[in-house]
């Protein structure tokens, strides 16, 4: 005989952590950070066909202090990285980050000096979503997976950043870059220094 059978009808046994985390997962307010084509797919989930309002998330906040989920949709340039970090720091705790698309997750096709090779170099990422661009259904699925992660998380709400091996979605690409090898990246690149002169060009 369990203790539930001795309790009057209408009483539920739970823990404070489960109640808090259930409230958190059902009241996420995204901070929009649309940087490229993935932002179009992110906008689509607010429409009537996909209707993110079913999960209480239709308010895409332009104020970071009133948001707790940053959806990074698109590639992050080196110039935009400090801005992204500043907005993340201004968000209220607990807060979560979803890297939407292959560019935000790993730099995507832009394997060059101008693009950050994964937004996890700038902020801790809680959920990776591959695709170029991922469809709105994929974004909703990633949000639901993040909901489940928040629901089962610790009472303070701060999750451990997702490692590549433990992510529900695999991190799309691990690039072999100069920074990953520990090589200096602030070297002077002069590919045309020793090039032959063009026709008609004087030395």
């Amino acid at each position: 005989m369990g203790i539930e059978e001795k309790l009057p009808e209408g009483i539920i046994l739970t823990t404070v952590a489960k109640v808090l985390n259930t409230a958190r997962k059902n009241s996420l307010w995204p901070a929009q950070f649309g940087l490229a084509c993935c932002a179009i797919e992110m906008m689509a989930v607010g429409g009537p066909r996909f209707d993110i309002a079913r999960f209480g998330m239709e308010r895409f906040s332009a104020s970071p202090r009133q948001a707790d989920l940053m959806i990074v949709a698109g590639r992050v340039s080196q110039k935009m990285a400090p801005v992204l970090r500043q907005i993340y720091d201004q968000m209220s705790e607990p807060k979560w980050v979803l890297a939407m698309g292959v560019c935000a997750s790993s730099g995507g096709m832009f394997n060059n000096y101008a693009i950050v090779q994964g937004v996890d170099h700038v902020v801790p990422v809680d959920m990776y979503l591959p695709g170029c661009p991922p469809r709105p259904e994929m974004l909703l699925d990633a949000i639901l997976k993040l909901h489940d992660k928040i629901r089962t998380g610790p009472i303070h709400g701060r999750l451990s950043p997702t490692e590549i091996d433990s992510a529900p979605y695999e991190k799309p690409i691990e690039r072999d870059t100069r920074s990953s090898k520990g090589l200096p990246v602030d070297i002077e690149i002069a590919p045309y220094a020793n090039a032959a002169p063009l026709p008609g060009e004087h030395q």
Side-chain angles (χ1 to χ4, degrees):
M1 179 181 291
I3 190 173
E4 292 86 358
E5 298 177 15
K6 295 185 177 182
L7 294 172
E9 187 178 351
I11 292 181
I12 300 174
L13 297 178
T14 185
T15 63
V16 175
K18 287 183 180 178
V19 171
L20 284 177
N21 289 332
T22 300
R24 284 168 179 155
K25 86 175 184 66
N26 290 327
S27 60
L28 288 180
W29 278 358
Q32 54 186 357
F33 211 86
L35 297 168
C37 43
C38 284
I40 305 299
E41 303 297 318
M42 181 177 66
M43 295 173 198
V45 300
R49 181 174 180 182
F50 303 102
D51 195 15
I52 201 173
R54 291 176 290 166
F55 310 108
M57 297 176 62
E58 70 275 13
R59 184 185 181 278
F60 279 81
S61 179
S63 169
R65 290 177 177 83
Q66 297 177 355
D68 45 19
L69 171 62
M70 175 180 279
I71 302 176
V72 184
R75 58 192 178 271
V76 180
S77 66
Q78 299 286 354
K79 284 189 176 182
M80 186 57 71
V83 180
L84 185 143
R85 181 68 202 201
Q86 182 178 10
I87 291 176
Y88 174 82
D89 290 338
Q90 290 175 351
M91 291 169 62
S92 57
E93 291 280 0
K95 52 194 172 186
W96 302 275
V97 177
L98 192 156
M100 180 181 178
V102 66
C103 292
S105 298
S106 65
M109 68 189 80
F110 302 99
N111 185 18
N112 57 49
Y113 66 93
I115 302 299
V116 177
Q117 300 301 300
V119 72
D120 49 6
H121 290 283
V122 185
V123 293
V125 174
D126 300 293
M127 187 66 63
Y128 294 101
L129 173 58
C132 185
R135 285 188 52 81
E137 299 96 323
M138 296 174 66
L139 176 57
L140 288 176
D141 185 57
I143 289 173
L144 291 178
K145 283 181 167 61
L146 182 60
H147 279 183
D148 190 59
K149 192 174 180 182
I150 294 169
R151 182 180 59 83
T152 57
I155 189 170
H156 52 67
R158 292 189 295 273
L159 306 176
S160 300
T162 299
E163 301 295 335
I164 295 174
D165 297 332
S166 63
Y169 297 106
E170 255 185 61
K171 188 170 181 184
I173 300 173
E174 284 189 84
R175 292 209 179 269
D176 190 19
T177 59
R178 295 185 64 86
S179 56
S180 67
K181 292 180 176 180
L183 300 174
V185 294
D186 54 347
I187 59 174
E188 183 179 355
I189 301 175
Y192 305 110
N194 301 318
L198 296 173
E201 186 179 18
H202 299 290
Q203 287 281 8

